[in-house]
Amino acid sequence: MNLTKTLQEYFDELSSNSPTPGGGNVAAMCGALSASLSMMVCNLTIGKKKYADVEPEMIKLKDQLEGYQKKFFELGTKDNEAFDKVMEAFKLPKETDSEKELRTAKIEEATIGAAEVPEDVMQVCSEILPMLKTIIEKGNKNSLSDAGVAVSLIATAAESAYLNVMINCASLGNQTIAAEIKKRADIRMDEISQTSEYLVERVVKAVQQQ
Amino acid sequence: MNLTKTLQEYFDELSSNSPTPGGGNVAAMCGALSASLSMMVCNLTIGKKKYADVEPEMIKLKDQLEGYQKKFFELGTKDNEAFDKVMEAFKLPKETDSEKELRTAKIEEATIGAAEVPEDVMQVCSEILPMLKTIIEKGNKNSLSDAGVAVSLIATAAESAYLNVMINCASLGNQTIAAEIKKRADIRMDEISQTSEYLVERVVKAVQQQ
């Protein structure tokens, strides 16, 4: 993710007919928004008398979340790069048989690469969810809705990544590899959906009881 | 939304202990990401021979989506402003009885205002969904996953706004007004969840059949 760009530039590029940044980049963006919002909840908990007993845990958690924020930024950049490689492979010459063969192999290789990045996004989403659970349970109760938004963002980050895994697998020549990748993504998506739905419901109930 | 800020500045402010931008702002941000990604799909459809018959519709849709992108930007700004008003009201003097009374009334007024902005975000999410359905059905099939991501983002924008409606209602003194707002938000959330789940499932099936 090129963080020196203005929001205006990012939105302009996203809306344009340039294929990157696209949905895969936005998946990582959602993850970064989630990590950032969770860090805010930690920051709004740290230094408050009422939450003094969880302060060491919140400080540690904030540092970990900052690491995850960075991971999502990196995955945003990697997604753009992986997609650009697919585009480059499609532009390879296809006059002779050997050229055609090389081009097909390069497209296949690049497409597997383009499926791996969203798989990594899903992996990072799985890893961050237990931290969000802790924030919901122990963080500043005034920021409970923010913690809930962070969970909702992870569900969308994962779902967006899942859709990108699927569309890349659909265009793979080797459908055995595609089936393996899809199976892994299906299992992970189910886990993330279940956990995030449960956590959002918990937040809704807790907010209503406040 | 202050679009002249860099992504780095936005993420830094989001992570900080300043309560704005917070979850309500991120709800509008998700809406803007969705509108932008949908505009990208329109742009990747316009000018393609294969999609010549839907070109006039895609051009019209792109313009409408640009309007929605702006609405979400505005709601992002309004959310920050509404939350700042709540904070200001809490800072009013509370020495005398009349000061206490005024302060309570101002907090109540500002909190209703802070619930209205996410209600508007949910309204705009409802309005944009039929456009995303058209993009899924008629837009460039190579960008089907992007259209799916746009839907997933609307689901999160609405869910995030819903959580913000709920947390504001919880702190309202007038629980009759709170119950009315919550009822409207519940109905709208159900509608958006059902439509977006249905659309994402459709995208997943369509991508797998490609």
Side-chain angles (χ1 to χ4, degrees):
Chain A
M1 202 80 78
N2 181 349
L3 296 167
T4 63
K5 290 210 168 137
T6 65
L7 289 174
Q8 184 71 62
E9 285 168 332
Y10 180 77
F11 279 110
D12 284 348
E13 283 183 11
L14 190 59
S15 324
S16 78
N17 66 356
S18 142
T20 58
N25 181 277
V26 168
M29 179 72 155
C30 286
L33 288 170
S34 173
S36 308
L37 212 44
S38 313
M39 285 166 71
M40 180 187 88
V41 182
C42 291
N43 278 320
L44 289 166
T45 309
I46 296 163
K48 296 275 193 304
K49 268 187 196 167
K50 197 177 167 187
Y51 298 98
D53 53 335
V54 295
E55 182 152 323
E57 197 174 357
M58 286 292 142
I59 291 171
K60 197 179 153 197
L61 210 48
K62 197 187 86 173
D63 284 346
Q64 289 175 324
L65 286 164
E66 198 170 357
Y68 278 93
Q69 188 196 45
K70 276 188 193 141
K71 276 190 194 181
F72 281 120
F73 288 153
E74 285 162 15
L75 285 165
T77 305
K78 277 188 186 169
D79 192 85
N80 289 352
E81 289 166 356
F83 197 86
D84 288 340
K85 270 191 189 165
V86 177
M87 291 288 139
E88 279 166 31
F90 269 102
K91 285 178 197 157
L92 287 173
K94 47 177 178 174
E95 296 299 312
T96 66
D97 279 352
S98 67
E99 277 178 356
K100 279 181 196 166
E101 208 176 305
L102 181 71
R103 182 175 172 270
T104 305
K106 286 283 176 192
I107 292 172
E108 182 84 355
E109 193 188 310
T111 307
I112 292 176
E116 276 168 357
V117 181
E119 264 209 280
D120 288 348
V121 170
M122 294 181 82
Q123 161 76 29
V124 178
C125 287
S126 288
E127 287 171 17
I128 206 174
L129 271 178
M131 297 179 203
L132 305 192
K133 184 170 176 278
T134 306
I135 285 174
I136 289 169
E137 287 166 354
K138 302 182 180 175
N140 191 326
K141 290 285 168 265
N142 293 333
S143 306
L144 205 46
S145 60
D146 299 302
V149 173
V151 175
S152 186
L153 282 162
I154 286 300
T156 281
E159 190 165 73
S160 302
Y162 175 80
L163 287 167
N164 278 277
V165 170
M166 289 299 137
I167 204 159
N168 282 302
C169 283
S171 61
L172 276 181
N174 186 334
Q175 280 298 307
T176 311
I177 290 181
E180 278 170 26
I181 299 174
K182 280 159 78 173
K183 197 180 165 187
R184 282 201 301 269
D186 275 333
I187 293 169
R188 199 176 285 283
M189 191 64 238
D190 279 348
E191 286 169 4
I192 295 172
S193 296
Q194 278 176 29
T195 308
S196 55
E197 271 173 37
Y198 163 76
L199 288 176
V200 170
E201 268 174 38
R202 255 182 82 168
V203 170
V204 172
K205 276 185 197 157
V207 165
Q208 284 171 340
Q209 280 164 6
Q210 265 189 345
Chain B
M1 204 81 78
N2 182 349
L3 297 167
T4 63
K5 290 210 168 135
T6 65
L7 288 174
Q8 184 71 62
E9 283 168 334
Y10 180 77
F11 279 110
D12 284 349
E13 283 184 12
L14 190 59
S15 324
S16 79
N17 67 355
S18 145
T20 58
N25 182 278
V26 168
M29 180 73 154
C30 286
L33 287 170
S34 172
S36 307
L37 212 43
S38 313
M39 285 167 70
M40 179 186 87
V41 182
C42 291
N43 278 320
L44 289 167
T45 309
I46 296 164
K48 296 277 194 304
K49 268 188 197 169
K50 197 178 166 186
Y51 297 98
D53 53 333
V54 296
E55 182 152 324
E57 197 175 357
M58 285 293 142
I59 291 171
K60 198 181 152 194
L61 210 50
K62 197 188 87 171
D63 284 347
Q64 288 174 327
L65 287 163
E66 198 169 356
Y68 277 94
Q69 188 197 43
K70 277 188 191 140
K71 277 189 192 179
F72 280 120
F73 287 152
E74 284 163 16
L75 286 164
T77 305
K78 278 188 185 169
D79 192 85
N80 289 353
E81 288 167 357
F83 197 87
D84 288 341
K85 270 190 188 165
V86 177
M87 290 289 138
E88 279 165 31
F90 268 103
K91 285 176 196 159
L92 287 172
K94 47 178 179 174
E95 296 299 313
T96 66
D97 280 351
S98 67
E99 277 178 354
K100 278 180 197 167
E101 207 175 306
L102 181 71
R103 183 175 172 271
T104 304
K106 287 282 176 192
I107 291 172
E108 183 83 355
E109 193 188 309
T111 307
I112 291 176
E116 277 169 355
V117 181
E119 263 208 281
D120 287 348
V121 170
M122 294 181 83
Q123 162 76 29
V124 178
C125 287
S126 288
E127 287 171 17
I128 206 174
L129 271 179
M131 296 179 205
L132 305 192
K133 185 170 174 279
T134 305
I135 285 174
I136 290 169
E137 288 167 354
K138 301 181 180 175
N140 192 327
K141 290 285 168 267
N142 293 335
S143 306
L144 206 46
S145 59
D146 300 301
V149 174
V151 175
S152 186
L153 282 162
I154 286 299
T156 281
E159 190 165 72
S160 303
Y162 176 80
L163 287 167
N164 277 276
V165 170
M166 290 298 138
I167 205 159
N168 282 301
C169 283
S171 62
L172 275 181
N174 186 334
Q175 279 298 308
T176 311
I177 290 180
E180 279 170 26
I181 299 174
K182 279 159 77 172
K183 197 180 165 188
R184 281 201 302 269
D186 275 333
I187 293 169
R188 199 176 285 283
M189 191 65 238
D190 280 347
E191 285 169 3
I192 295 170
S193 296
Q194 278 175 28
T195 308
S196 54
E197 272 173 37
Y198 163 75
L199 288 176
V200 170
E201 270 174 38
R202 255 183 80 169
V203 170
V204 171
K205 276 184 197 159
V207 165
Q208 284 172 339
Q209 281 164 6
Q210 265 188 344

